Amino acid sequence: MNLEVQEDGRNKSHTYGTIWAGEAELFAFRNFGYPDNELEIGMISPEAMQVHFGDIISAFTKKIPDLNLTVGDPVEWPEFSTWRESPTMSLTLGFNEEDIWFTFDCINGQPPTVTFSIPFAQAVPESEVRQRSERILLRHGMKLLSMEEYDEYKFHTWSIQAACIKDQRLSDAKDCAQLLTIAAHSIVWPDELSRAETLRLIRLGQVETLLGWLTENEWFDAKESVVLDARGTVEFAKDLAQFANGSAGGLLLIGAKTSKDEGGVETLSKLCPLDKNPKSPQPVARLAQSLRDIATSHIYPLPEGLQIEVVDTSKGQVICAHIPKQAKNVKPFIVTGEAVFGKIKNTFFSIPVRTHDGNAPVSSREIYALLAGRMIRLQDRDAGKEG
């Protein structure tokens, strides 16, 4: 890609400007000059994700004489023996969006490096995280240089530095960061994330790392929003009860879209934060409480450990409903009420059951079998108490 570096102005501390591709403004930059000679670049357009880091280096290499960039003092960096021989600079490009953090760095003409900041689960040993990181980086044309652990605001973090074996696009690095985050949380990696591991990522605000990877299945479903009319109320209660009646519990993410591929598989594809959705019926915190009230009023018995919580992401707020795996002796979970002519009639009830990626009504025969099975379990329990 042919990039043009344009100087927009100078002040006492730095030079600043923009980087263009044709008529598209992609990046903003500023250079702090002597003694650090550090050049910082920030992405200002989505199209910048397709740019190769090498193209940025080439564009600035051509522009250095025109910008009159000063060369830092080599005494401060004794490891750079060629610093005096080649008037180059420290170039840093940072990416900090969608809960993904990484920076490209190029110092004195050496091969670029990428540093990823990856939140991790302490349940995954350091040696295992290192092995997984090495494999992921190699598949993306990078070689692991170092790993360092530190504490962030909410979670432990790995700073993973890698050398670029081949030129990288920003989108390549973003994909790699997404894989590293999943690998740092999944105990059973490279298999799919478990329900508990997915819940951990969601609660950390790392929802966007799951985009393009997490599919709807027996324990996960996603909805763009909820409607609190009669039909929407009953449907939400069914959405929760289906997971409670299933074998694994479940997660319902509200404020996200899925996309269906040619094989009919629904994959999490986009966040639609509720606090930025004009169709959301209530402020997010109040909506979460309304959903808790629906569960209490329309599901019997109420699933043990049910949690409906607001989650903050870099894009905005979503709601996550977590239904733990339920004991057999408390099933089935019954939804009372059905929407009839715009009103809820509580003389109706249903027992929804989760299929692979949706819920299905239970037939009268199945209802009888479920209720009869529960009666037998209660009788056995009572007989055990009498004995």
Side-chain angles (χ1 to χ4, degrees), residues 11-87:
N11 57 33
K12 293 182 179 180
S13 63
H14 61 268
T15 302
Y16 57 92
T18 49
I19 305 174
W20 299 73
E23 297 182 356
E25 189 178 21
L26 303 182
F27 303 93
F29 74 87
R30 56 182 178 175
N31 168 251
F32 289 96
Y34 183 83
D36 297 326
N37 203 37
E38 181 179 1
L39 184 66
E40 292 185 349
I41 305 174
M43 188 179 73
I44 58 177
S45 169
E47 289 81 3
M49 289 300 296
Q50 302 307 315
V51 174
H52 285 79
F53 191 59
D55 290 339
I56 299 174
I57 296 173
S58 298
F60 272 101
T61 300
K62 297 175 184 177
K63 193 69 176 179
I64 286 174
D66 297 335
L67 293 177
N68 296 316
L69 301 177
T70 58
V71 178
D73 185 349
V75 176
E76 298 184 25
W77 304 279
E79 65 271 26
F80 301 136
S81 59
T82 60
W83 192 266
R84 289 188 184 275
E85 301 172 11
S86 174

Coordinates of all heavy atoms in Angstrom, one line a residue, residues 11-87:
N11 N 5.5 22.1 17.4 CA 5.5 23.0 18.6 C 6.9 22.7 19.3 O 7.7 22.1 18.7 CB 4.3 22.8 19.5 CG 4.2 21.4 20.0 OD1 5.2 20.7 20.2 ND2 3.0 20.9 20.2
K12 N 7.0 23.2 20.5 CA 8.3 23.1 21.1 C 8.7 21.7 21.5 O 9.9 21.4 21.5 CB 8.3 24.0 22.4 CG 8.2 25.5 22.2 CD 8.2 26.2 23.5 CE 8.2 27.7 23.2 NZ 8.2 28.5 24.5
S13 N 7.7 20.8 21.7 CA 8.0 19.5 22.1 C 8.0 18.4 21.0 O 8.7 17.4 21.1 CB 7.1 19.1 23.2 OG 5.7 19.0 22.7
H14 N 7.2 18.6 20.0 CA 7.1 17.6 19.0 C 6.6 18.1 17.6 O 6.0 19.1 17.5 CB 6.2 16.4 19.5 CG 4.8 16.9 19.8 ND1 4.4 17.3 21.0 CD2 3.7 16.9 19.0 CE1 3.1 17.6 21.0 NE2 2.6 17.4 19.8
T15 N 6.8 17.2 16.6 CA 6.2 17.4 15.3 C 5.0 16.4 15.2 O 5.0 15.3 15.8 CB 7.2 16.9 14.2 OG1 8.4 17.7 14.4 CG2 6.6 17.1 12.8
Y16 N 3.9 16.9 14.6 CA 2.7 16.0 14.4 C 2.2 16.1 13.0 O 2.4 17.0 12.3 CB 1.7 16.4 15.5 CG 1.2 17.9 15.4 CD1 0.1 18.2 14.6 CD2 1.9 18.9 16.1 CE1 -0.3 19.6 14.5 CE2 1.5 20.2 16.0 CZ 0.4 20.5 15.2 OH 0.0 21.9 15.2
G17 N 1.4 15.0 12.7 CA 0.9 15.0 11.3 C 0.0 13.8 11.1 O -0.5 13.1 12.1
T18 N -0.3 13.4 9.8 CA -1.2 12.3 9.5 C -0.5 11.5 8.4 O 0.4 11.9 7.7 CB -2.5 12.9 9.0 OG1 -2.3 13.9 8.0 CG2 -3.3 13.5 10.1
I19 N -1.1 10.3 8.3 CA -0.6 9.3 7.2 C -1.8 9.0 6.4 O -2.9 8.6 6.9 CB -0.1 8.0 7.9 CG1 1.1 8.4 8.9 CG2 0.4 7.1 6.8 CD1 1.6 7.2 9.6
W20 N -1.6 9.1 5.1 CA -2.7 8.9 4.1 C -2.5 7.8 3.2 O -1.3 7.5 2.9 CB -2.9 10.2 3.3 CG -3.3 11.4 4.1 CD1 -2.5 12.1 4.9 CD2 -4.6 12.0 4.2 NE1 -3.2 13.2 5.5 CE2 -4.5 13.1 5.0 CE3 -5.8 11.7 3.6 CZ2 -5.5 14.0 5.3 CZ3 -6.9 12.6 3.9 CH2 -6.7 13.7 4.7
A21 N -3.5 7.1 2.7 CA -3.5 6.2 1.6 C -4.5 6.7 0.5 O -5.7 6.5 0.7 CB -3.8 4.8 2.0
G22 N -4.0 7.4 -0.5 CA -4.9 8.1 -1.4 C -5.6 9.2 -0.7 O -5.0 10.1 -0.1
E23 N -6.9 9.1 -0.7 CA -7.7 10.1 0.0 C -8.2 9.7 1.4 O -8.9 10.4 2.0 CB -8.9 10.5 -0.9 CG -8.6 11.1 -2.2 CD -9.8 11.5 -3.0 OE1 -10.9 11.2 -2.5 OE2 -9.7 12.1 -4.1
A24 N -7.7 8.5 1.8 CA -8.1 8.0 3.1 C -7.1 8.4 4.2 O -5.9 8.1 4.0 CB -8.3 6.5 3.0
E25 N -7.6 9.0 5.2 CA -6.8 9.4 6.3 C -6.8 8.2 7.3 O -7.8 7.9 7.9 CB -7.3 10.7 7.0 CG -6.4 11.3 8.1 CD -7.0 12.5 8.6 OE1 -8.3 12.7 8.5 OE2 -6.3 13.4 9.2
L26 N -5.6 7.6 7.5 CA -5.5 6.4 8.3 C -5.0 6.5 9.7 O -5.5 5.9 10.6 CB -4.6 5.3 7.5 CG -5.1 5.0 6.1 CD1 -4.2 3.9 5.5 CD2 -6.5 4.5 6.1
F27 N -3.9 7.3 9.8 CA -3.2 7.4 11.1 C -2.9 8.8 11.5 O -2.8 9.7 10.6 CB -1.9 6.6 11.1 CG -2.0 5.2 10.8 CD1 -1.8 4.7 9.5 CD2 -2.2 4.2 11.7 CE1 -1.9 3.4 9.1 CE2 -2.3 2.9 11.4 CZ -2.2 2.5 10.1
A28 N -2.7 9.1 12.7 CA -2.1 10.3 13.2 C -0.8 10.0 13.9 O -0.6 8.9 14.4 CB -3.0 11.0 14.2
F29 N 0.2 10.9 13.8 CA 1.5 10.6 14.4 C 2.0 11.9 15.1 O 1.6 13.0 14.8 CB 2.5 10.1 13.4 CG 3.0 11.2 12.5 CD1 4.1 11.9 12.9 CD2 2.4 11.4 11.3 CE1 4.6 12.9 12.0 CE2 2.9 12.4 10.4 CZ 4.0 13.2 10.8
R30 N 3.0 11.6 16.0 CA 3.7 12.7 16.6 C 5.1 12.2 17.0 O 5.3 11.1 17.4 CB 3.0 13.3 17.9 CG 2.7 12.3 19.0 CD 2.0 13.0 20.1 NE 1.7 12.0 21.2 CZ 1.1 12.4 22.3 NH1 0.8 13.6 22.6 NH2 0.8 11.5 23.2
N31 N 6.1 13.1 16.8 CA 7.5 12.8 17.0 C 8.0 13.7 18.1 O 7.9 14.9 18.0 CB 8.3 12.9 15.8 CG 9.8 12.9 16.1 OD1 10.5 13.9 16.0 ND2 10.3 11.7 16.4
F32 N 8.6 13.1 19.2 CA 9.1 13.9 20.3 C 10.5 14.4 20.2 O 11.0 15.1 21.0 CB 8.9 13.1 21.6 CG 7.4 12.9 22.0 CD1 6.7 11.8 21.6 CD2 6.8 13.9 22.6 CE1 5.4 11.7 21.9 CE2 5.4 13.8 23.0 CZ 4.7 12.7 22.6
G33 N 11.2 13.9 19.1 CA 12.6 14.4 18.9 C 13.6 14.1 19.9 O 13.4 13.1 20.7
Y34 N 14.6 14.9 20.0 CA 15.7 14.6 20.9 C 15.3 14.7 22.4 O 14.5 15.5 22.7 CB 16.8 15.6 20.7 CG 18.1 15.4 21.5 CD1 19.0 14.5 21.0 CD2 18.3 16.1 22.7 CE1 20.2 14.3 21.8 CE2 19.4 15.9 23.4 CZ 20.4 15.0 23.0 OH 21.5 14.7 23.7
P35 N 15.8 13.8 23.3 CA 16.8 12.8 23.1 C 16.2 11.4 22.7 O 16.9 10.5 22.2 CB 17.5 12.6 24.4 CG 16.4 12.9 25.4 CD 15.5 13.9 24.8
D36 N 14.9 11.2 22.8 CA 14.3 9.9 22.6 C 14.1 9.6 21.1 O 14.1 8.5 20.7 CB 13.0 9.8 23.4 CG 13.2 9.9 24.9 OD1 14.2 9.4 25.3 OD2 12.2 10.4 25.5
N37 N 13.8 10.7 20.4 CA 13.5 10.5 19.0 C 12.4 9.4 18.8 O 12.5 8.6 17.9 CB 14.7 10.1 18.2 CG 14.6 10.5 16.7 OD1 14.0 11.5 16.4 ND2 15.1 9.7 15.8
E38 N 11.4 9.5 19.6 CA 10.3 8.5 19.6 C 9.1 9.0 18.7 O 8.7 10.1 18.9 CB 9.8 8.2 21.0 CG 8.7 7.2 21.0 CD 8.3 6.9 22.5 OE1 8.8 7.5 23.4 OE2 7.4 6.0 22.6
L39 N 8.7 8.1 17.9 CA 7.6 8.4 17.0 C 6.4 7.6 17.4 O 6.5 6.3 17.4 CB 8.0 8.1 15.5 CG 7.0 8.5 14.4 CD1 6.8 10.0 14.4 CD2 7.5 7.9 13.1
E40 N 5.3 8.2 17.8 CA 4.1 7.5 18.2 C 3.0 7.6 17.1 O 2.8 8.7 16.5 CB 3.5 8.0 19.5 CG 4.4 7.8 20.7 CD 3.8 8.2 22.0 OE1 2.7 9.0 21.9 OE2 4.3 7.9 23.0
I41 N 2.4 6.5 16.8 CA 1.3 6.5 15.7 C 0.0 5.9 16.3 O 0.1 5.0 17.1 CB 1.8 5.6 14.5 CG1 3.1 6.1 14.0 CG2 0.7 5.7 13.4 CD1 3.7 5.2 12.9
G42 N -1.1 6.5 16.0 CA -2.4 6.1 16.4 C -3.3 5.9 15.2 O -3.3 6.7 14.3
M43 N -4.1 4.8 15.3 CA -5.1 4.5 14.2 C -6.3 5.4 14.3 O -6.9 5.6 15.4 CB -5.5 3.1 14.3 CG -6.3 2.6 13.1 SD -6.8 0.9 13.3 CE -8.0 1.0 14.5
I44 N -6.7 6.0 13.2 CA -7.9 6.9 13.2 C -8.9 6.5 12.2 O -9.9 7.2 12.0 CB -7.5 8.4 13.0 CG1 -6.7 8.5 11.6 CG2 -6.6 8.9 14.1 CD1 -6.4 10.0 11.3
S45 N -8.7 5.3 11.6 CA -9.7 4.9 10.6 C -9.7 3.4 10.6 O -8.7 2.7 10.7 CB -9.4 5.4 9.2 OG -10.1 4.8 8.2
P46 N -10.9 2.7 10.4 CA -11.0 1.3 10.3 C -10.2 0.7 9.2 O -9.6 -0.5 9.3 CB -12.5 1.0 10.2 CG -13.2 2.2 10.7 CD -12.2 3.3 10.4
E47 N -10.0 1.4 8.1 CA -9.2 0.9 6.9 C -7.8 0.7 7.3 O -7.1 -0.1 6.6 CB -9.3 1.9 5.8 CG -10.7 1.9 5.1 CD -11.7 2.8 5.8 OE1 -11.3 3.4 6.8 OE2 -12.9 2.9 5.4
A48 N -7.3 1.3 8.4 CA -5.9 1.2 8.8 C -5.6 -0.2 9.2 O -4.4 -0.6 9.2 CB -5.6 2.1 9.9
M49 N -6.6 -1.0 9.5 CA -6.4 -2.4 10.0 C -5.7 -3.3 8.9 O -5.1 -4.3 9.1 CB -7.7 -3.1 10.4 CG -8.2 -2.5 11.8 SD -7.0 -2.7 13.1 CE -7.0 -4.5 13.2
Q50 N -5.9 -2.9 7.6 CA -5.4 -3.6 6.5 C -4.0 -3.2 6.1 O -3.4 -3.7 5.1 CB -6.3 -3.5 5.3 CG -7.7 -4.0 5.6 CD -7.8 -5.4 6.2 OE1 -7.1 -6.3 5.7 NE2 -8.6 -5.6 7.2
V51 N -3.4 -2.2 6.8 CA -2.1 -1.7 6.4 C -1.0 -2.6 7.0 O -1.1 -3.1 8.1 CB -1.9 -0.3 7.0 CG1 -0.5 0.2 6.8 CG2 -2.9 0.7 6.3
H52 N 0.1 -2.9 6.3 CA 1.2 -3.6 6.8 C 2.1 -2.6 7.5 O 2.3 -1.5 7.1 CB 2.0 -4.2 5.6 CG 1.3 -5.4 5.0 ND1 0.3 -5.3 4.1 CD2 1.6 -6.8 5.2 CE1 -0.1 -6.5 3.8 NE2 0.6 -7.4 4.4
F53 N 2.6 -3.1 8.7 CA 3.5 -2.3 9.5 C 4.8 -1.9 8.7 O 5.3 -0.8 8.8 CB 3.9 -3.0 10.7 CG 4.6 -2.2 11.8 CD1 4.0 -1.1 12.3 CD2 5.9 -2.5 12.2 CE1 4.7 -0.3 13.2 CE2 6.5 -1.7 13.1 CZ 5.9 -0.6 13.6
G54 N 5.2 -2.8 7.8 CA 6.4 -2.5 7.0 C 6.2 -1.3 6.1 O 7.1 -0.5 5.8
D55 N 5.0 -1.1 5.6 CA 4.7 0.0 4.7 C 4.8 1.3 5.5 O 5.2 2.4 5.0 CB 3.2 -0.1 4.1 CG 3.1 -1.2 3.1 OD1 4.2 -1.6 2.6 OD2 2.0 -1.7 2.9
I56 N 4.4 1.3 6.8 CA 4.5 2.5 7.6 C 6.0 2.8 7.8 O 6.4 4.0 7.7 CB 3.8 2.2 9.0 CG1 2.3 1.9 8.7 CG2 4.0 3.5 9.9 CD1 1.6 1.6 10.0
I57 N 6.8 1.8 8.1 CA 8.2 2.0 8.3 C 8.8 2.6 7.0 O 9.6 3.6 7.1 CB 8.9 0.7 8.7 CG1 8.4 0.2 10.0 CG2 10.4 0.9 8.7 CD1 8.9 -1.2 10.4
S58 N 8.5 2.1 5.9 CA 9.0 2.6 4.6 C 8.6 4.0 4.4 O 9.4 4.9 3.9 CB 8.5 1.7 3.4 OG 9.0 0.4 3.6
A59 N 7.3 4.3 4.7 CA 6.9 5.7 4.4 C 7.6 6.7 5.3 O 8.0 7.8 4.8 CB 5.4 5.8 4.7
F60 N 7.9 6.4 6.5 CA 8.6 7.3 7.4 C 10.1 7.3 7.1 O 10.8 8.4 7.3 CB 8.4 6.9 8.9 CG 7.2 7.5 9.5 CD1 6.0 6.8 9.6 CD2 7.2 8.9 9.8 CE1 4.9 7.4 10.1 CE2 6.1 9.5 10.4 CZ 4.9 8.7 10.5
T61 N 10.7 6.2 6.6 CA 12.1 6.2 6.2 C 12.3 7.2 5.1 O 13.3 7.9 5.1 CB 12.5 4.8 5.8 OG1 12.3 3.9 6.9 CG2 14.0 4.8 5.4
K62 N 11.4 7.3 4.2 CA 11.5 8.3 3.1 C 11.3 9.7 3.6 O 11.9 10.6 3.0 CB 10.5 7.9 2.0 CG 10.7 6.6 1.3 CD 9.5 6.3 0.3 CE 9.6 4.9 -0.3 NZ 8.5 4.6 -1.2
K63 N 10.5 9.8 4.6 CA 10.1 11.2 5.0 C 11.0 11.8 6.1 O 11.0 13.0 6.3 CB 8.7 11.1 5.6 CG 8.0 12.4 5.8 CD 7.7 13.1 4.5 CE 6.9 14.4 4.7 NZ 6.6 15.1 3.5
I64 N 11.9 10.9 6.7 CA 12.8 11.4 7.8 C 13.5 12.7 7.4 O 13.5 13.6 8.2 CB 13.7 10.3 8.3 CG1 12.9 9.3 9.1 CG2 14.8 10.9 9.1 CD1 13.7 8.0 9.4
P65 N 14.2 12.7 6.3 CA 15.0 14.0 6.0 C 14.1 15.2 5.9 O 14.5 16.3 6.4 CB 15.6 13.7 4.6 CG 15.6 12.2 4.5 CD 14.4 11.7 5.2
D66 N 12.9 15.1 5.4 CA 12.0 16.2 5.3 C 11.5 16.7 6.7 O 11.2 17.9 6.9 CB 10.8 15.9 4.4 CG 11.2 15.6 3.0 OD1 12.3 16.1 2.6 OD2 10.5 14.9 2.3
L67 N 11.3 15.7 7.6 CA 10.8 16.1 8.9 C 11.9 16.6 9.9 O 11.6 17.1 11.0 CB 10.2 14.8 9.6 CG 8.9 14.3 8.9 CD1 8.4 13.1 9.6 CD2 7.8 15.4 9.0
N68 N 13.2 16.5 9.4 CA 14.3 16.9 10.2 C 14.3 16.3 11.6 O 14.5 17.0 12.7 CB 14.3 18.5 10.4 CG 14.5 19.2 9.1 OD1 15.4 18.8 8.3 ND2 13.7 20.2 8.8
L69 N 14.0 15.0 11.7 CA 14.0 14.3 12.9 C 15.4 14.1 13.5 O 16.3 13.7 12.8 CB 13.4 12.9 12.7 CG 11.9 12.9 12.2 CD1 11.4 11.5 12.0 CD2 11.0 13.7 13.2
T70 N 15.6 14.5 14.7 CA 16.9 14.4 15.4 C 17.2 13.0 15.8 O 16.3 12.1 16.0 CB 17.0 15.3 16.6 OG1 15.9 14.9 17.5 CG2 16.7 16.7 16.2
V71 N 18.5 12.7 15.9 CA 19.0 11.4 16.3 C 19.3 11.4 17.8 O 20.0 12.3 18.3 CB 20.2 10.9 15.5 CG1 20.7 9.6 15.9 CG2 19.8 10.9 14.0
G72 N 18.9 10.4 18.5 CA 19.1 10.3 19.9 C 20.6 10.0 20.3 O 21.4 9.7 19.4
D73 N 20.9 10.2 21.5 CA 22.3 10.1 22.0 C 22.6 8.6 22.1 O 21.9 7.9 22.9 CB 22.4 10.7 23.4 CG 23.8 10.7 23.9 OD1 24.7 10.0 23.3 OD2 24.1 11.4 24.9
P74 N 23.6 8.0 21.4 CA 23.9 6.6 21.5 C 24.4 6.1 22.8 O 24.3 4.9 23.1 CB 24.9 6.4 20.4 CG 25.6 7.7 20.3 CD 24.5 8.7 20.5
V75 N 24.9 7.0 23.6 CA 25.4 6.6 25.0 C 24.3 6.0 25.8 O 24.5 5.1 26.6 CB 26.0 7.8 25.7 CG1 26.5 7.4 27.1 CG2 27.2 8.3 24.9
E76 N 23.0 6.5 25.6 CA 21.9 6.0 26.4 C 21.5 4.6 25.9 O 20.7 3.9 26.6 CB 20.7 7.0 26.3 CG 21.1 8.4 26.9 CD 19.9 9.2 26.8 OE1 18.7 8.7 26.8 OE2 20.0 10.5 26.8
W77 N 21.8 4.2 24.7 CA 21.5 2.9 24.2 C 22.7 2.2 23.7 O 22.9 2.0 22.5 CB 20.4 3.0 23.1 CG 19.2 3.8 23.5 CD1 18.2 3.4 24.2 CD2 19.0 5.2 23.2 NE1 17.3 4.4 24.4 CE2 17.7 5.5 23.8 CE3 19.7 6.2 22.5 CZ2 17.2 6.8 23.7 CZ3 19.1 7.4 22.5 CH2 17.9 7.7 23.0
P78 N 23.6 1.7 24.6 CA 24.9 1.1 24.1 C 24.7 -0.2 23.3 O 25.5 -0.6 22.5 CB 25.6 0.8 25.5 CG 24.5 0.7 26.5 CD 23.5 1.7 26.1
E79 N 23.5 -0.8 23.4 CA 23.3 -2.1 22.6 C 23.1 -1.8 21.2 O 23.2 -2.7 20.3 CB 22.1 -2.9 23.2 CG 20.7 -2.2 23.1 CD 20.4 -1.3 24.2 OE1 21.3 -0.8 24.9 OE2 19.2 -1.1 24.5
F80 N 22.8 -0.5 20.8 CA 22.6 -0.2 19.4 C 23.8 0.4 18.8 O 24.1 1.6 18.8 CB 21.4 0.8 19.3 CG 20.1 0.3 19.8 CD1 19.3 1.1 20.6 CD2 19.7 -1.0 19.6 CE1 18.1 0.6 21.1 CE2 18.5 -1.5 20.1 CZ 17.7 -0.7 20.9
S81 N 24.7 -0.5 18.4 CA 26.0 -0.1 17.9 C 26.0 0.7 16.6 O 26.9 1.4 16.3 CB 26.9 -1.3 17.7 OG 26.3 -2.2 16.7
T82 N 24.9 0.6 15.9 CA 24.8 1.3 14.6 C 24.1 2.6 14.7 O 23.7 3.2 13.7 CB 24.2 0.4 13.5 OG1 22.8 0.0 14.0 CG2 25.0 -0.9 13.3
W83 N 23.8 3.0 15.9 CA 22.9 4.2 16.1 C 23.5 5.4 15.4 O 22.8 6.2 14.7 CB 22.8 4.5 17.6 CG 21.7 5.5 17.8 CD1 21.8 6.8 18.0 CD2 20.3 5.2 18.0 NE1 20.6 7.4 18.3 CE2 19.7 6.5 18.3 CE3 19.5 4.1 17.9 CZ2 18.3 6.6 18.5 CZ3 18.2 4.2 18.1 CH2 17.6 5.4 18.4
R84 N 24.8 5.6 15.5 CA 25.4 6.8 14.8 C 25.5 6.6 13.3 O 25.5 7.6 12.6 CB 26.9 7.0 15.4 CG 26.9 7.5 16.8 CD 28.3 7.9 17.2 NE 28.4 8.3 18.6 CZ 28.2 9.5 19.0 NH1 27.8 10.4 18.2 NH2 28.3 9.8 20.3
E85 N 25.6 5.4 12.9 CA 25.8 5.1 11.4 C 24.5 5.4 10.6 O 24.6 5.6 9.4 CB 26.3 3.7 11.2 CG 27.6 3.4 12.0 CD 28.0 2.0 11.9 OE1 27.3 1.3 11.1 OE2 28.9 1.6 12.6
S86 N 23.4 5.2 11.3 CA 22.1 5.2 10.5 C 21.1 6.1 11.3 O 20.7 5.8 12.3 CB 21.5 3.8 10.3 OG 20.3 3.9 9.7
P87 N 20.8 7.3 10.7 CA 19.8 8.2 11.4 C 18.4 7.6 11.4 O 17.6 8.0 10.5 CB 20.0 9.5 10.6 CG 20.3 9.1 9.3 CD 21.2 7.9 9.4

